[in-house]
Structures are given as C-alpha cells and as structure tokens.
Amino acid sequence: MKNIICAALFLFIIPSAQAQAPASIIKRYKEIFKLIKADKAQELSKLVAYPLIRQNPLKDITNANEFVAYFPVLFDASFKKKFERFNDTVVFEHHGGYGLVGGDFHGDMWLDDRGNITGISVISRRETTLRNQLTKQIQSKIYPTVSHWDENLLVLQSPKLLIRIDRVGQKLRYVSWSQGRPTSSKPDLVLINGVEEAQGTQGGWTYTFKNGDWTYVIDDVEMCETASQCGYFLRLNLKNVEKSSTRLKVVK
C-alpha cells in the first residue's frame, strides 16, 4: 500500500531535471519489460522483493508461487503496452529506490538499488474487477451505516481495537470496534473529516481525527532509528497532550 499511495506524492516532488539512473537499473528495467511481454512469470518472480503490496482489500503477494499465479491479473495488455514507451529519462531516484515517474509514468513500478521490484502501483482492469468484487463482499458484512466507502486506505488492529480508515467522497473516516466485536455490529466510534498529511519526502503518512478535546492520530512511521519505532501507531491526545500510544498491525 505504501508504494501505491506514495506514487501520487512523487508527482509533486519530482524535479524538472532528473539525475541519470545507474546503467544497471536501466538495464534491469529493460530486462523486466522483456519478461513481462513474454509472460515469463517464473523468471520475473525471482526479481521481486516480497511482499508486493496490493491495494486493500486485495491480498499482498508474499512469495514467488503467489506471484506466478497472480501474474495474469497483475499485467494486462494495456500495462504491457504502456511499458513500450519506456526510455532512460523516466526513471526517478528517491532515497535509494528507482521509480517510473517521468513521461507517461506516474510511479507505476519501483526497484531497489539491487534491481528488485519493490512496488507496482498500476491496477489492471482484471485486478480492478477483483478488488471491486472483494469490496462488495466485505461491505455486505459491515454495519449498514459504515458499509459504504470509495476507497479503503487502512485496516489496522491492536490487542483492543479494529480500526478502518476509509475515504468517503471528499472525507476521511475513522471507524473502530472493540476487540471481539464483529464488524457487523454497531461501531464503538465513528469520526469523519479527518486530515491526511504526508510526512515530508522521507515517506510515511499521518491521519488526524478530532473528537471534542481528544485527537486520534494514526501515524505511519517509515523513517526511524530502530525497527520498534517504525510501523503504525494510534496516538491519543487530550488538548494536545499525548495520553497513549499503541502499536498497530496492518490486516486485510
């Protein structure tokens, strides 16, 4: 999800003149395109840094076998045709990653410095259909007053809570249930008009929701000194004073 969401951010920070990407990265992109065009899923599966994140509620691709099985859904004819317009100037370097951001590309694919695929933001027609089908199944099981959304951004879980962050029209909505309560039951808390902010160009996002004197903040921390400091956190503030911080796990 992160790579998919951040693709939009990079459109605003891409410089007018990009530094030339290393020859090894350009060569790897060309190799990847040839494998995609030839439908060589098995060979391509060896060039992926798993997990490969997919938009909610699609399952992430966690290993080579799953990648091979999902290949026809991931890469359709329009996807392949777009890559025919690749040239050396469309590769954008960002903190050690190399993405297709210039020209007709909008963060469609990202490689790490070893040339492995770390993100694919393009959603094929088949994948869009599958995502819509899964979304309808989930919506049919959720409490009616919160069963509609235009885009689900996050589903997060702590030992005590299940949290959804959804985009509904132009609004951002926070919905939570206490541990053990099904999503078919009335939510414990629903907050709307949330604010979504990128944490600079270093990566990470913050989602802020007001509830009287309380502020509910979901932090997606990507830049940190230790692994325990990275991840998703729910921070509860009372009149701008932090009262608690709870680590959250992403679920689908």
Side-chain angles (χ1 to χ4, degrees):
M1 187 72 172
K2 292 177 184 177
N3 286 313
I4 296 171
I5 294 176
C6 288
L9 174 63
F10 294 135
L11 298 182
F12 296 97
I13 64 175
I14 181 172
S16 57
Q18 295 177 207
Q20 181 66 49
S24 59
I25 295 297
I26 299 298
K27 181 180 178 181
R28 177 54 61 86
Y29 263 120
K30 292 178 179 179
E31 178 184 355
I32 288 171
F33 298 157
K34 288 181 180 179
L35 293 175
I36 292 173
K37 186 176 181 180
D39 293 326
K40 294 187 177 181
Q42 192 69 51
E43 292 183 40
L44 187 60
S45 70
K46 301 174 184 177
L47 304 180
V48 179
Y50 299 102
L52 192 60
I53 307 301
R54 308 312 301 149
Q55 280 191 10
N56 288 355
L58 297 167
K59 292 183 178 181
D60 298 336
I61 302 170
T62 62
N63 57 56
N65 289 336
E66 291 178 1
F67 181 88
V68 171
Y70 201 70
F71 182 92
V73 177
L74 197 59
F75 302 109
D76 61 9
S78 61
F79 195 109
K80 295 175 181 178
K81 187 173 181 62
K82 188 173 185 179
F83 283 134
E84 293 177 2
R85 299 192 288 276
F86 171 82
N87 63 72
D88 296 6
T89 67
V90 304
V91 181
F92 173 52
E93 191 277 336
H94 182 73
H95 294 292
Y98 298 90
L100 300 181
V101 181
D104 295 328
F105 298 95
H106 306 287
D108 301 53
M109 181 179 289
W110 287 84
L111 307 183
D112 60 22
D113 57 3
R114 295 175 298 174
N116 291 325
I117 300 172
T118 58
I120 297 175
S121 67
V122 173
I123 306 295
S124 71
R125 291 180 181 177
R126 285 188 63 182
E127 195 170 32
T128 298
T129 298
L130 177 59
R131 183 186 61 185
N132 291 341
Q133 290 173 346
L134 292 172
T135 296
K136 288 180 180 179
Q137 291 176 16
I138 294 170
Q139 289 174 328
S140 69
K141 300 175 182 178
I142 287 185
Y143 193 75
T145 60
V146 292
S147 65
H148 170 73
W149 56 83
D150 296 297
E151 180 185 5
N152 170 242
L153 300 183
L154 291 167
V155 180
L156 302 163
Q157 190 174 43
S158 76
K160 295 183 178 181
L161 291 173
L162 177 68
I163 300 169
R164 290 185 59 91
I165 305 296
D166 297 312
R167 200 183 305 282
V168 185
Q170 299 300 315
K171 297 180 179 181
L172 208 60
R173 184 180 67 195
Y174 171 108
V175 184
S176 67
W177 291 264
S178 299
Q179 181 187 26
R181 297 192 65 225
T183 56
S184 59
S185 64
K186 185 177 180 179
D188 295 297
L189 183 63
V190 179
L191 303 174
I192 58 175
N193 294 323
V195 177
E196 176 184 14
E197 298 175 288
Q199 297 175 3
T201 61
Q202 301 297 315
W205 294 79
T206 298
Y207 307 89
T208 305
F209 299 85
K210 291 286 188 178
N211 185 26
D213 290 336
W214 288 90
T215 304
Y216 288 66
V217 181
I218 301 290
D219 267 337
D220 167 18
V221 182
E222 295 186 15
M223 299 297 293
C224 49
E225 294 182 359
T226 64
S228 63
Q229 295 174 324
C230 271
Y232 287 90
F233 298 85
L234 169 62
R235 308 190 197 279
L236 298 184
N237 301 330
L238 177 60
K239 295 182 179 180
N240 298 319
V241 177
E242 185 174 300
K243 294 298 183 178
S244 67
S245 177
T246 304
R247 189 176 186 86
L248 303 170
K249 180 177 68 173
V250 177
V251 295
K252 288 194 176 184

